[in-house]
Each structure stands twice: as structure tokens, then as C-alpha cells.
């Protein structure tokens, strides 16, 4: 059976992420009153984020994976002086195009366009890579990507995995014929491989309760997960809300549910207006009232009045519309593994997450560690996670990191030897989570960006935290905070945490994007008056600060200290200096704590926004660091980030990319050098290929002047060769 999944039905329905909660463990409902659930003891909030499953919920069975074909084409080489880049054209499996990124996804200076206009040009959905045989002269790279077929309402998406092998004679990749089309998955994400390439695994996003229609090897969530992890849906709670307070439900989700009335072929607002005026004499309905213009304190009562006037048929149709558009239930994530099998063979499948929520704000990265010092073999992956309010139908977003014991296919989510956490990473709603593993201390961890102001209580400040796997009170500990990013909404932030790269067991490098929002003179005054620091002797990590105090957090924790008044992030007349971004790296300890240190701002531009950073260890004392340049003040163009209609693509598609090499002390050793023909996805990460080589894959024509579009069927597989290995 060759059933495919419709992206229109399955993809996340975010227009904005849930409104800011009062705390990291708060719950959010899509109506008032919000009702707290669970054991993490935060505040309350409201919002309209929703995720959708497949829509058929139980008919038929899921298909198996199928063989596929990848072809390779032209090779191109660029000499950077201190390195070379070789690129080879790769036609995606069976000639299909890649899927576009889900709408509403937050990037570091923008978001993908709104859900109201699916036809707008977009950017490629994230892809993932894994390398193996890196100690040989013919290392291999596995790529996980989501493909697209059809368009509009007929578009379907599904995953794919294919293998490429390095050819030392051409310094580029060859195809191996080892390819599969994952018809079981509507998306495929993180991928990992054993060192000898014998074992390959990928994360598969699939339907709500899909394991009931497919032969999986195990449901690890049901066997080992917490109660929250097993709560897949809130359908019964929403049914209760429909029976209890449908007028309130419509009024507080006006934009989501009012579509039933505005799109109805016969219902007209004029038919209800006389009765509304009679029953609500104090309300001014204006000269041209419509269903969309109802607002104000009486909105709930007015919508309830309209509902009461409906015929039985129209009422029942409206209830079905709400059910179809208002259900929030979690899709599943499977870990699919090929153990000494060709990719075209049927993999083993394990259910590893039921809190996915139908959408993903953060990267779903998969890490594999084989036979550590304690003899453990494990997988770990990061994912945004939704907790349901079982009594009222609401939900709250945070993020989890699941560690899977590969030796016996189990989870340990509680107790003294727990690994990972199912939810809660950062204060507020988590917008992005990126996993990492430090082989020195053998700990998994993640860097999380959330919308809660932990230190400086101003609405919408994004908190960047690092959380490790072995914390003892995982249900309430949010991680160690590294930095704050100002924003006026969860989806409209200028920055966030990107990745963490281990240096040794006691040191990690934490990479972020942020604007500058404290004036230099003001910060110098604070350091001088509060700490007696001579600011003329500047060090990269504010090393003159107190051993137990981070100067930046000390400044932000005092509400008397000013921040730069920043341009409204949703729109503005033009780009200005307060919205420019910079990229910083900090050395944090093995637990992720940054106390006593600060970020070294490695790249700052006085004219342009910069973003999409990359950092990877070349394993010879050098690190490859890259970033992208976006729109500039000198472009003199209007500034509107809310949709692609008015140029917001300038914040998603770079003008140019840059690469340089640095050391662990953040000194620039080589570069930067500008790239215009090669690039990378802003939420992708490269992979170490051995002997000073780094590999990744991305679309052709990636810069805005010659942008080839968000969907292409011929990509580039690129290899960076550092001269430092010589």
C-alpha cells in the first residue's frame, strides 16, 4: 500500500506560539481560564498553538519504505586560500523536490511565512547528516531529508535516507545506491550512524497513534515513559469544552474558529446584526461590521448569541469544524534502525515520543554513542514537546531530550540514574532545542531558547539555557542560563542559542545569535561602579568579574539598568541599528554553567544582520566557524518580518555566507572568506568527515540575488577541506 501523508493536514498550524507563561512549568490553554496541569508548578497562560495528526485516524495501515535512486552530477571546486570546498550536484531520490520548511518556524532573525498564505516562496525544510568510517580514506555520509510531491492541497511529504561515499581521487562524493523512501514518515529528521557504518538510525515523524496500524518492535513511551509522555491527546477535554462553553471557545480563538462563519456559503453577518444590536445596545458595531470585527468585552456573549441562532444543521457543522481545527493531539516520533541491513530493507521501528504535537520548533537531532566507558550504547534526541491539560483541553510547549538505552531498548526517566528529560528546558515556551554530546564527561545535553524572561522581567525576553542529562530534579530544573535575547513575541526574536561544541570534559563552546541591546558606555559604567573593573583592559570573557557572578546577568537582574529601545520586531519603516545582530561564543563548563564568564562577540557588522552560524571541531586544534549575512541598513528597504509579502524573505535567505577557522580560545586563525555560490540551511549542522574535512548538503543557488527557490530536486553535497591538516 502506497499511502502518503498530506503536509497540509500534518504540519504545524502555528501562527504564533503560545503566549508567555508565568514560569517554565506553566500550562497554556486556548481559552480562559487557563488551568495548570502536571507537576512542574509554573504559571498560567493562553494561546492558540495547535498541531494536527493525519486526519483519518485509523483507516488502513501504514506503508513500508521503498527503494529509491540518487544520481550524482557535476563537481565544482573553490579555493579559499586556507581551505578548499568541493561540491557535487546530487539529484534527490527519484527526482523529487525537497519539502519546504513548516510555516511559522522561528529562525534566528526571522520566521518562515505565515500559515495564511501557503503559496508564498519559502526555504527548505531542515536536513540532517551523519558520518561514519571517518578514520578511513573513504568515509561515508548519510543524509536524512523530507521530500515533497504535488502542490497546494494535494501536496504530500515523506522522508528519505540516502548514502554518499567520499572519493579521494575527486575529493567529492559518489553515490552508492544505498537509498530508501520512507513512506511510513511524513518527515524524516535526525540521523546517526555507528563508526563502522553497520548501524544507521533515523527519526521518523508519523501519525497520531500510528503504532496501532504498523508492526513496531516496541513502544518505549508506554513501557517506560512518564504519565505526561503517555498522554497523547486532549480530544475528550476539547469535546467537553464544546459541550460546556462553545461561545467562549470561539471568542478566545477568534482567528482560528471564525473561519467557519466567514467561509460559510450562506451565513451572513447582516442576518445576525439586528439581534446583536438589540441584545447589546452598548456595543458600537461600526459602519461595516463582519464576523471578524466582533471584539471587546462582550465578544464572548456576542459569539454565544450568534451560536444560539444557528439552525441544527449549521450548529452541528460548526461543531465538526471546531473538532477538525481545534483538536490538539500529539503525533508520534519513531526511531527507525537498520542494523546490518541495506536502507531499502524494512527497518526496526520503536515509538520514542508521543509529545511531538504535530509540529516542531526545534531541531530533532539524533546522536549515537557506542560502548562508552561504562559499556553503554545509547541514542539521544532533542524535540519540542507538548504537555496537555487533561481537564480543560489546553496545552503548553517546552522541550525534552530522550536518551534511549540501546542495549535493552529502554528509557530511564526517573531516579538517581535517570538520563534525559521528557519536558521543560528553559523558562517559558521553548522555541529551539539543539542536542549535543560531550565525550569527555560522557554526558548528553541541549541548548534551549525560550520566550521567558528569567533574569530581566520584561515580556518576551528569550532565555538561553543549557541543560545536561544527569540533573537530579529533571521535572523542575530548567538548566543553566547563558544569555537573554530581547523580543516582543515568542516568534519574533532576534536571535537564540544555536549549538554547543565540546572542547574537553570541563569545557563546551556555546554559540548564539543576539542583538546588542546594552549601550557600551552604560555597561562600562556598571562594571566600574559595581565591580571596580578597569574596562580599558578588556578580556574576551569578562574575566575580571567576580568568580561567582556573571556581569551580564547582574546587569540585567537590576530593573533600574536600561536597555536600548529597540525597533518593533513585527514591522517598521526600515531596518535600523537596534535590530542588527551579532554572533557570540562563550566557554561554559562541563555542566553548561557560564558563571563568571561572558560571550566573546566573534562577528559584529555595523550595517547588516547576521545569523545562521555554524561551529564544528576539525579535531586538529582548529574549529570551522561560519555565518551568513542578511539584509543591511544601507539597502534602504522597508522592514516587515510578519510575512514574505513585503520582503521578509530577506531575513530568511542570505546575501552571502562566510567561513573562517578559529581556535578553542576563540582567536581567529584564518579568514573570514565570503561564499556566494555555496551555503547551508540556517537550522542544519555540518558533520565531521575525518582528517580536517567537514561535509554538509544544501540547495543550489542559496543566496538571495540568485535564489533558486525553497524547493529543488538537485542539491549540492559539499566538503570543506582545511589546509591546517597539512
Amino acid at each position: 500500500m502506497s499511502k502518503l501523508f498530506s503536509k497540509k493536514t500534518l504540519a504545524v498550524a502555528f501562527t504564533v506560539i503560545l503566549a508567555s507563561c508565568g514560569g517554565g512549568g506553566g500550562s497554556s490553554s486556548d481559552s480562559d481560564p487557563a488551568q495548570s496541569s502536571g507537576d512542574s508548578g509554573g504559571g498560567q497562560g493562553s494561546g492558540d498553538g495547535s498541531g494536527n495528526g493525519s486526519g483519518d485516524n485509523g483507516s488502513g495501515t501504514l506503508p513500508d519504505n521503498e527503494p529509491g535512486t540518487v544520481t550524482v552530477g557535476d563537481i565544482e571546486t573553490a579555493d579559499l586560500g586556507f581551505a578548499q570546498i568541493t561540491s557535487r550536484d546530487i539529484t534527490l531520490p527519484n527526482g523529487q523536490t525537497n519539502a519546504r520548511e513548516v510555516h511559522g518556524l522561528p529562525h534566528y532573525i526571522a520566521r518562515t511565512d505565515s500559515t495564511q498564505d501557503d503559496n508564498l516562496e519559502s526555504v527548505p525544510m531542515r536536513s540532517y547528516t551523519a558520518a561514519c568510517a571517518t578514520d578511513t580514506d573513504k568515509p561515508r555520509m548519510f543524509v536524512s531529508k523530507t521530500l515533497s510531491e504535488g502542490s497546494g492541497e494535494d501536496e504530500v511529504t515523506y522522508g528519505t535516507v540516502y548514502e554518499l561515499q567520499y572519493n579521494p581521487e575527486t575529493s567529492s562524493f559518489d553515490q552508492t545506491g544505498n537509498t530508501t523512501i520512507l513512506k511510513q514518515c511524513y518527515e524524516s529528521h535526525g540521523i546517526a550512524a555507528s563508526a563502522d557504518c553497520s548501524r544507521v538510525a533515523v527519526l521518523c515523524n508519523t501519525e497520531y497513534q500510528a503504532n496501532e496500524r504498523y508492526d513496531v518492535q516496541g513502544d518505549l513511551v508506554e513501557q517506560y515513559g512518564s504519565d505526561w509522555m503517555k498522554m497523547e491527546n486532549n480530544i475528550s477535554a476539547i469535546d467537553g469544552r464544546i459541550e460546556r462553553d462553545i461561545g467562549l471557545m470561539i471568542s478566545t480563538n477568534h482567528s482560528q474558529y471564525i473561519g467557519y462563519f466567514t467561509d460559510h456559503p450562506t451565513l451572513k453577518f447582516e442576518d445576525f446584526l439586528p439581534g446583536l444590536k438589540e441584545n447589546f445596545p452598548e456595543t458600537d458595531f461600526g459602519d461595516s461590521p463582519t464576523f471578524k470585527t466582533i471584539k471587546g468585552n462582550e465578544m464572548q456573549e456576542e459569539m454565544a448569541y450568534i451560536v444560539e441562532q444557528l439552525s441544527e444543521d449549521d450548529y452541528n457543522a460548526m461543531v465538526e469544524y471546531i473538532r477538525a481545527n481545534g483538536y490538539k493531539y500529539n503525533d508520534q516520533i519513531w526511531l527507525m534502525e537498520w542494523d546490518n541491513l541495506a536502507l531499502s530493507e524494512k527497518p526496526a521501528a520503536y515509538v520514542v515520543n508521543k509529545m511531538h504535537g504535530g509540529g516542531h520548533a526545534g531541531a530533532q537531532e539524533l546522536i549515537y554513542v557506542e560502548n562508552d566507558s561504562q559499556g553503554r550504547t545509547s541514542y539521544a534526541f532533542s524535540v519540542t514537546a507538548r504537555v496537555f491539560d487533561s481537564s480543560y483541553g489546553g496545552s503548553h510547549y517546552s522541550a525534552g531530550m530522550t536518551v534511549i538505552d540501546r542495549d535493552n531498548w529502554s528509557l530511564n526517566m526517573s531516579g538517581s540514574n535517570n538520563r534525559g528529560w521528557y519536558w521543560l528546558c528553559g523558562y517559558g515556551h521553548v522555541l529551539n532545542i539543539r542536542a549535543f554530546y560531550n565525550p569527555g564527561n560522557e554526558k548528553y545535553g541541549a541548548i534551549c531558547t525560550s520566550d521567558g524572561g528569567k533574569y530581566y522581567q520584561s515580556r518576551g525576553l528569550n532565555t538561553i539555557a543549557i541543560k545536561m542529562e544527569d540533573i537530579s530534579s529533571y521535572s523542575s530544573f530548567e538548566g543553566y542560563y547563558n544569555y537573554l535575547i530581547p523580543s516582543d513575541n515568542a516568534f519574533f526574536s532576534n536571535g537564540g542559542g544555536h549549538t554547543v561544541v565540546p572542547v574537553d570534559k570541563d569545557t563546551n563552546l556555546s554559540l548564539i545569535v543576539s542583538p546588542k541591546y546594552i549601550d557600551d558606555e552604560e555597561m562600562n559604567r556598571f562594571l566600574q561602579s559595581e565591580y571596580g573593573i578597569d574596562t580599558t583592559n578588556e578580556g574576551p570573557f569578562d574575566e575580571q568579574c567576580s568568580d561567582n557572578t556573571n556581569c551580564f546577568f547582574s546587569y540585567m537582574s537590576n530593573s533600574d539598568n536600561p536597555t536600548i529601545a529597540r525597533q518593533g520586531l513585527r514591522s517598521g519603516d526600515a531596518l535600523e541599528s537596534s535590530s542588527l545582530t551579532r554572533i557570540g561564543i562563550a566557554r561554559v563548563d562541563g555542566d553548561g554553567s557560564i558563571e563568571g564568564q561572558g560571550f566573546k562577540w566573534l562577528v559584529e557588522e555595523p550595517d547588516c544582520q547576521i545569523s545562521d552560524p555554524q561551529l564544528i571541531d576539525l579535531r586538529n586544534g582548529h574549529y570551522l566557524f561560519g555565518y551568513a549575512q542578511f539584509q543591511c541598513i544601507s539597502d534602504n528597504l522597508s522592514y516587515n518580518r510578519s510575512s514574505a509579502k513585503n520582503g521578509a524573505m530577506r531575513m530568511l535567505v542570505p546575501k552571502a555566507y562566510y567561513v573562517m577557522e578559529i581556535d578553542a580560545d576563540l582567536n581567529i586563525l584564518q579568514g573570514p572568506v565570503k561564499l556566494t555560490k555555496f551555503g547551508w540551511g540556517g537550522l542544519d549542522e555540518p558533520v565531521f568527515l575525518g582528517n580536517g574535512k567537514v561535509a554538509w548538503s544544501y540547495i543550489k543557488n542559496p543566496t538571495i540575488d540568485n535564489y533558486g527557490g525553497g524547493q529543488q530536486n538537485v542539491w549540492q553535497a559539499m566538503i570543506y577541506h582545511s589546509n591546517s591538516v597539512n
Side-chain angles (χ1 to χ4, degrees):
M1 184 176 182
S2 185
K3 175 183 174 184
L4 302 178
F5 300 114
S6 170
K7 190 178 179 184
K8 301 300 178 188
T9 311
L10 290 164
V12 63
F14 287 142
T15 302
V16 292
I17 209 161
L18 303 175
S20 179
C21 286
S27 78
S28 277
S29 168
D30 55 2
S31 68
D32 288 325
Q35 183 169 330
S36 179
S37 70
D39 60 359
S40 56
Q44 299 173 347
S46 63
D48 64 354
S50 65
N52 298 309
S54 66
D56 69 9
N57 290 330
S59 61
T61 58
L62 297 179
D64 287 331
N65 54 302
E66 300 175 355
T69 301
V70 171
T71 58
V72 297
D74 295 340
I75 298 175
E76 187 173 358
T77 302
D79 189 351
L80 309 183
F82 54 88
Q84 293 80 41
I85 293 179
T86 54
S87 168
R88 187 153 203 177
D89 288 355
I90 304 291
T91 301
L92 299 185
N94 296 353
Q96 294 299 128
T97 61
N98 61 281
R100 295 176 299 173
E101 192 57 272
V102 295
H103 298 285
L105 183 92
H107 284 243
Y108 295 104
I109 58 169
R111 64 169 187 162
T112 52
D113 56 38
S114 74
T115 57
Q116 276 71 32
D117 193 341
D118 289 348
N119 295 319
L120 293 176
E121 188 176 40
S122 190
V123 293
M125 182 175 287
R126 290 155 291 177
S127 60
Y128 302 79
T129 54
C132 54
T134 57
D135 58 347
T136 73
D137 64 346
K138 292 184 178 181
R140 291 144 71 181
M141 180 172 77
F142 290 89
V143 181
S144 167
K145 202 180 302 293
T146 300
L147 301 178
S148 173
E149 184 176 298
S151 61
E153 294 299 324
D154 296 325
E155 181 188 19
V156 293
T157 62
Y158 43 88
T160 186
V161 176
Y162 55 90
E163 179 192 51
L164 302 171
Q165 186 168 44
Y166 181 74
N167 184 337
E169 294 182 1
T170 63
S171 299
S172 65
F173 282 118
D174 293 333
Q175 60 91 12
T176 66
N178 194 18
T179 306
T180 190
I181 305 294
L182 299 174
K183 295 295 180 68
Q184 310 97 321
C185 315
Y186 64 83
E187 293 167 7
S188 59
H189 286 274
I191 190 166
S194 61
D196 64 359
C197 306
S198 63
R199 182 175 290 166
V200 179
V202 70
L203 295 178
C204 163
N205 288 187
T206 189
E207 299 179 67
Y208 166 65
Q209 295 184 342
N211 62 305
E212 297 181 4
R213 301 186 298 284
Y214 192 81
D215 183 21
V216 298
Q217 275 61 47
D219 184 341
L220 305 189
V221 175
E222 287 301 315
Q223 288 178 271
Y224 304 102
S226 69
D227 289 342
W228 267 355
M229 294 177 73
K230 299 174 185 178
M231 191 190 302
E232 292 185 65
N233 68 71
N234 59 351
I235 294 176
S236 60
I238 290 182
D239 274 336
R241 292 182 60 194
I242 292 175
E243 294 292 328
R244 183 172 58 246
D245 49 14
I246 193 168
L248 172 64
M249 192 173 187
I250 296 175
S251 66
T252 53
N253 290 273
H254 194 266
S255 62
Q256 187 175 3
Y257 301 144
I258 205 69
Y260 170 76
F261 297 94
T262 58
D263 297 335
H264 198 281
T266 60
L267 293 178
K268 306 298 179 186
F269 187 78
E270 292 78 10
D271 298 334
F272 302 93
L273 186 57
L276 287 167
K277 288 182 175 180
E278 180 179 352
N279 285 276
F280 304 96
E282 302 298 322
T283 300
D284 180 6
F285 290 97
D287 296 331
S288 302
T290 69
F291 290 111
K292 289 184 176 181
T293 58
I294 294 183
K295 58 187 65 177
N297 295 331
E298 292 79 26
M299 185 177 179
Q300 174 185 340
E301 290 79 8
E302 291 163 2
M303 290 308 307
Y305 169 81
I306 292 174
V307 169
E308 290 172 359
Q309 309 309 307
L310 297 178
S311 68
E312 183 177 357
D313 287 345
D314 285 338
Y315 178 88
N316 290 336
M318 179 196 62
V319 170
E320 289 306 314
Y321 180 90
I322 290 174
R323 285 196 178 105
N325 290 276
Y327 280 165
K328 299 176 184 176
Y329 51 88
N330 290 332
D331 299 342
Q332 294 186 352
I333 298 177
W334 294 352
L335 188 148
M336 302 174 71
E337 184 189 76
W338 294 265
D339 194 7
N340 288 293
L341 292 173
L343 293 176
S344 58
E345 299 292 325
K346 182 178 179 179
Y350 296 85
V351 183
V352 294
N353 191 284
K354 297 181 180 179
M355 300 173 69
H356 180 40
H360 43 89
Q364 297 177 30
E365 295 164 322
L366 181 64
I367 303 171
Y368 175 76
V369 174
E370 188 169 28
N371 196 28
D372 66 11
S373 66
Q374 300 181 51
R376 302 174 299 182
T377 296
S378 58
Y379 289 104
F381 68 93
S382 59
V383 65
T384 48
R386 169 176 286 151
V387 167
F388 286 131
D389 179 341
S390 59
S391 60
Y392 207 77
S395 64
H396 177 62
Y397 242 85
S398 189
M401 190 184 72
T402 302
V403 180
I404 301 164
D405 183 342
R406 172 60 180 78
D407 297 313
N408 57 19
W409 289 106
S410 64
L411 311 176
N412 183 5
M413 306 299 287
S414 62
S416 59
N417 295 317
N418 69 289
R419 305 196 72 184
W421 62 91
Y422 63 88
W423 190 70
L424 184 56
C425 176
Y427 192 81
H429 305 96
V430 173
L431 311 182
N432 222 320
I433 178 170
R434 313 297 289 264
F436 67 94
Y437 178 76
N438 186 318
N441 57 29
E442 298 188 333
K443 293 181 184 178
Y444 292 108
I447 184 169
C448 302
T449 304
S450 62
D451 66 354
K454 182 70 173 178
Y455 285 82
Y456 188 67
Q457 300 300 318
S458 175
R459 179 181 179 271
L461 279 169
N462 283 358
T463 305
I464 298 177
I466 293 179
K467 183 172 179 176
M468 305 302 292
E469 65 162 291
D470 62 342
I471 40 84
S472 58
S473 55
Y474 66 96
S475 63
S476 59
F477 181 71
E478 299 157 357
Y480 289 106
Y481 292 98
N482 286 187
Y483 204 72
L484 301 175
I485 305 289
S487 70
D488 67 355
N489 179 277
F491 257 61
F492 293 92
S493 65
N494 268 18
H498 186 275
T499 192
V500 175
V501 176
V503 176
D504 54 45
K505 68 182 182 65
D506 299 316
T507 312
N508 298 303
L509 299 181
S510 173
L511 176 66
I512 69 168
V513 179
S514 175
K516 181 176 75 172
Y517 61 108
I518 303 173
D519 185 81
D520 287 342
E521 293 184 1
E522 172 61 26
M523 189 63 178
N524 287 339
R525 179 208 60 77
F526 173 78
L527 295 177
Q528 292 170 9
S529 62
E530 296 294 323
Y531 294 105
I533 291 176
D534 178 7
T535 58
T536 60
N537 184 17
E538 183 180 0
F541 300 119
D542 296 334
E543 292 169 348
Q544 299 176 78
C545 286
S546 159
D547 289 341
N548 299 316
T549 302
N550 181 288
C551 294
F552 169 77
F553 285 148
S554 297
Y555 180 95
M556 294 299 291
S557 64
N558 187 338
S559 60
D560 294 333
N561 293 326
T563 59
I564 295 174
R566 301 183 62 249
Q567 179 182 17
L569 295 176
R570 294 175 188 257
S571 63
D573 294 333
L575 185 68
E576 62 178 53
S577 59
S578 65
S579 287
L580 295 182
T581 49
R582 56 185 180 166
I583 299 174
I585 304 177
R587 292 168 63 93
V588 301
D589 67 21
D591 292 323
S593 173
I594 195 175
E595 286 188 353
Q597 299 180 344
F599 278 82
K600 179 174 182 178
W601 301 104
L602 208 61
V603 183
E604 298 184 73
E605 291 195 14
D607 184 43
C608 304
Q609 288 187 319
I610 54 176
S611 186
D612 294 3
Q614 301 289 353
L615 182 67
I616 185 167
D617 190 354
L618 292 170
R619 304 186 189 180
N620 65 343
H622 289 220
Y623 295 78
L624 174 61
F625 171 60
Y627 66 95
Q629 179 192 74
F630 290 78
Q631 61 180 356
C632 303
I633 297 174
S634 57
D635 294 336
N636 294 317
L637 297 171
S638 62
Y639 179 64
N640 189 318
R641 66 190 300 125
S642 295
S643 74
K645 294 178 181 178
N646 298 306
M649 286 298 288
R650 299 194 308 272
M651 292 181 286
L652 290 170
V653 180
K655 300 174 74 170
Y657 295 84
Y658 292 83
V659 292
M660 65 177 77
E661 292 188 13
I662 65 174
D663 63 19
D665 293 321
L666 309 186
N667 301 302
I668 297 176
L669 305 176
Q670 302 285 352
V673 169
K674 180 179 180 180
L675 307 176
T676 56
K677 298 187 68 176
F678 308 119
W680 51 81
L683 301 179
D684 299 346
E685 289 189 353
V687 63
F688 177 74
L689 206 64
N691 195 31
K693 297 187 292 292
V694 170
W696 70 94
S697 181
Y698 198 53
I699 56 173
K700 294 169 67 72
N701 302 317
T703 55
I704 197 163
D705 286 344
N706 63 346
Y707 190 53
Q711 290 183 283
Q712 301 182 29
N713 68 338
V714 179
W715 278 43
Q716 293 174 316
M718 286 153 283
I719 304 173
Y720 175 95
H721 306 258
S722 174
N723 292 348
S724 64
V725 298
N726 300 322

